[in-house]
């Protein structure tokens, strides 16, 4: 495999991007190769962030000459601004750059927050890349429709997960799970409002929220709705704790307003949880409504409550949907095929030179 220098937020960070980085590094390691990774960001105070970025850039410059290509994980806003400096250094050295775009709000940022001068800067940066990896066909269409990147450089690479050895026993569970940062983008308020209706029919059900963010705001909403005693706010969950809460659940819900390709949906489905999500980002590439999961309208707690009640009322339905979801992940979103596809991208870029436009 080519010598890859990878940049992105700390692999110990919270969120889907760090999970993708870890999965890639581990999958490549199993094949007998290795990726040289540099952390460019940690969730810290402003001075600490600047220190980390400066140290990362200095280390990057010392390693740039010895690599065959640079793989940069990027979102939007500050993430783009930080990574653009690294991209320019690679372009000057003639190193091919693969940008891996994770930003679920990149479209909002580009269309509503950026002026034309900033959009020109963005298009110029992507024009210099050898390849742009996006997480879904929907995101590929966005970059093409807005003329941000040459269509020939855009590659769709769906996120992937490791498949757990055994599925959950959904028939033995009644609880509902949400994983992710608690904030407006992922809309935990929609699930809380749905929970109020569900609890009238299933008072023993617990609604668990695993994530950081504005926890106090949503705890207050649970109290306002009179359902606080049925809600658990767990904080950010990883590793064994996350597996435990997944295995203690029957239904997984992610009522987001924007997504890339949500890792939590893939993880929940890989365990065989019946999953409900909105048709944003790459979700429609994963969930076939009523077959291996359910698609819900954005911001519709009444619809969500009906779907949750159906799954809690019918254990056979929950099991069938969960089994079909797990099969989808096994066949199309497993790490082995993902690593193979990524390695082919690396090899093509290393053979093709800088790819600078």
């Amino acid at each position: 495999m080519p010598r890859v220098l990878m940049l992105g937020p700390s692999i110990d960070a919270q969120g889907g991007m760090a999970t993708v980085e870890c999965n890639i590094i581990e999958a490549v390691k199993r094949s007998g190769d290795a990726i040289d990774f540099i952390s460019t960001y940690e969730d810290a105070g402003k001075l600490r962030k600047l220190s980390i970025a400066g140290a990362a850039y200095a280390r990057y410059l010392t390693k740039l000459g010895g690599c065959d290509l640079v793989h940069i994980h990027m979102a939007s806003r500050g993430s783009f601004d930080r990574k653009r400096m690294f991209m320019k250094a690679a372009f000057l050295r003639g190193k091919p750059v693969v940008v891996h775009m994770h930003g679920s709000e990149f479209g909002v940022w580009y269309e509503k927050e950026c002026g034309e001068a900033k959009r020109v800067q963005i298009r110029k940066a992507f024009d210099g890349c050898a390849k742009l990896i996006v997480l879904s066909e929907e995101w590929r269409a966005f970059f093409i429709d807005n003329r941000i990147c040459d269509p020939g450089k855009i590659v769709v690479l769906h996120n992937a997960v490791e498949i757990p050895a055994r599925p959950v026993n959904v028939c033995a569970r009644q609880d509902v799970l949400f994983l992710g940062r608690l904030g407006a983008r992922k809309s935990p308020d929609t699930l809380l409002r749905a929970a109020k209706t569900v609890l009238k029919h299933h008072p023993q059900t617990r609604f668990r929220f695993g994530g950081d963010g504005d926890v106090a705001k949503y705890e207050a909403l649970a109290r306002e709705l009179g359902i606080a005693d049925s809600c658990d706010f767990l904080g950010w969950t990883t590793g064994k704790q996350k597996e435990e809460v997944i295995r203690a659940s029957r239904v997984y819900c992610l009522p987001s307003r924007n997504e890339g390709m949500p890792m939590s949906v893939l993880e929940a489905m890989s365990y065989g949880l019946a999953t409900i999500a909105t048709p944003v980002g790459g979700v429609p590439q994963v969930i076939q409504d009523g077959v291996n999961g359910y698609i819900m309208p954005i911001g519709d707690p009444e619809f969500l409550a009906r779907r949750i009640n159906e799954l809690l009322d019918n254990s056979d339905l929950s099991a069938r949907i969960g089994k079909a979801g797990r099969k989808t992940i096994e066949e199309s979103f497993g790490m082995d095929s993902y690593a193979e596809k990524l390695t082919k991208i690396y090899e093509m870029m290393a053979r093709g030179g800088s790819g600078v436009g």
Side-chain angles (χ1 to χ4, degrees):
M1 192 182 82
R3 295 166 297 175
V4 179
L5 184 56
M6 181 182 288
L7 309 175
S10 169
I11 57 175
D12 297 321
Q14 298 169 349
M17 198 185 308
T19 301
V20 171
E21 293 169 350
C22 287
N23 286 349
I24 291 171
I25 292 168
E26 287 303 314
V28 169
K29 185 186 296 183
R30 284 200 301 271
S31 71
D33 291 304
I35 288 178
D36 195 352
F37 177 80
I38 297 176
S39 172
T40 60
Y41 176 84
E42 292 180 15
D43 191 6
K46 186 175 181 180
L47 290 177
R48 174 65 177 157
K49 288 178 183 177
L50 288 172
S51 174
I52 290 167
Y57 188 69
R59 184 181 172 204
Y60 172 71
L61 292 179
T62 65
K63 290 177 172 286
L64 189 55
C67 74
D68 295 313
L69 62 93
V70 178
H71 183 167
I72 297 179
H73 294 274
M74 183 186 292
S76 56
R77 303 184 178 96
S79 177
F80 169 82
D81 291 330
R82 286 190 300 273
K83 305 299 172 44
R84 190 169 71 94
M85 176 175 64
F86 292 86
M87 292 163 67
K88 289 176 69 176
F91 297 159
L92 289 172
R93 299 280 189 93
K95 299 292 182 179
V97 174
V98 179
V99 171
H100 202 145
M101 177 52 64
H102 299 262
S104 57
E105 292 194 328
F106 186 92
V108 174
W109 176 60
Y110 184 84
E111 293 182 328
K112 298 182 179 180
E113 300 175 21
C114 294
E116 184 53 32
K118 187 67 173 181
R119 293 193 192 104
V120 169
Q121 183 187 82
I122 293 167
R123 291 194 294 267
K124 184 176 180 181
F126 284 112
D127 188 52
C129 296
K131 285 292 178 184
L132 169 63
I133 295 175
V134 294
L135 305 185
S136 70
E137 287 74 8
E138 291 82 359
W139 278 108
R140 183 177 192 275
F142 174 84
F143 277 88
I144 292 172
D145 292 346
N146 287 277
R147 298 182 175 85
I148 300 172
C149 185
D150 179 349
K153 295 182 177 183
I154 304 175
V155 178
V156 176
L157 185 63
H158 299 139
N159 281 343
V161 292
E162 299 288 357
I163 311 298
R166 59 185 180 88
V168 299
N169 180 7
V170 296
C171 296
R173 306 295 180 180
Q174 281 287 107
D175 297 338
V176 178
L177 179 64
F178 168 103
L179 294 173
R181 179 156 290 179
L182 275 65
R185 182 173 70 81
K186 290 187 180 287
S187 299
D189 58 305
T190 299
L191 179 54
L192 283 167
R193 296 182 193 284
K196 183 174 182 178
T197 300
V198 172
L199 287 165
K200 294 175 183 177
H201 303 276
H202 298 278
Q204 301 307 312
T205 296
R206 299 204 65 79
F207 288 80
R208 294 193 170 93
F209 296 81
D212 63 348
D214 200 348
V215 178
K217 174 182 176 180
Y218 296 100
E219 288 177 328
L221 178 58
R223 290 193 296 270
E224 179 185 323
L225 294 169
I227 62 171
D229 289 344
S230 298
C231 296
D232 299 314
F233 292 88
L234 308 173
W236 194 263
T237 59
T238 59
K240 185 177 179 180
Q241 183 190 14
K242 181 165 69 172
E243 180 174 359
E244 287 174 353
V245 297
I246 289 175
R247 291 195 179 281
S249 302
R250 179 152 171 181
V251 179
Y252 180 75
C253 295
L254 189 70
S256 298
R257 297 184 177 277
N258 292 292
E259 284 291 350
M261 174 67 82
M263 292 294 290
S264 66
V265 164
L266 302 182
E267 289 173 335
M269 292 174 68
S270 76
Y271 278 91
L273 279 187
T275 298
I276 307 169
T278 46
V280 295
V283 170
Q285 305 299 325
V286 185
I287 295 180
Q288 186 179 353
D289 189 40
V291 177
N292 62 355
Y294 286 110
I295 297 291
M296 62 164 285
I298 295 172
D300 192 338
E302 292 80 14
F303 183 99
L304 179 56
R306 288 196 299 273
R307 281 287 182 247
I308 294 173
N309 277 327
E310 289 172 6
L311 291 166
L312 296 181
D313 287 338
N314 189 333
S315 59
D316 289 340
L317 175 64
S318 296
R320 176 175 63 79
I321 292 291
K323 183 177 180 180
R326 180 174 162 91
K327 183 179 179 182
T328 295
I329 304 304
E330 288 175 334
E331 293 179 347
S332 303
F333 299 92
M335 275 307 301
D336 289 343
S337 60
Y338 179 94
E340 183 178 342
K341 292 173 186 175
L342 183 60
T343 298
K344 288 180 179 177
I345 293 172
Y346 287 160
E347 290 172 348
M348 180 173 56
M349 291 304 93
R351 289 195 306 265
S354 70
V356 177

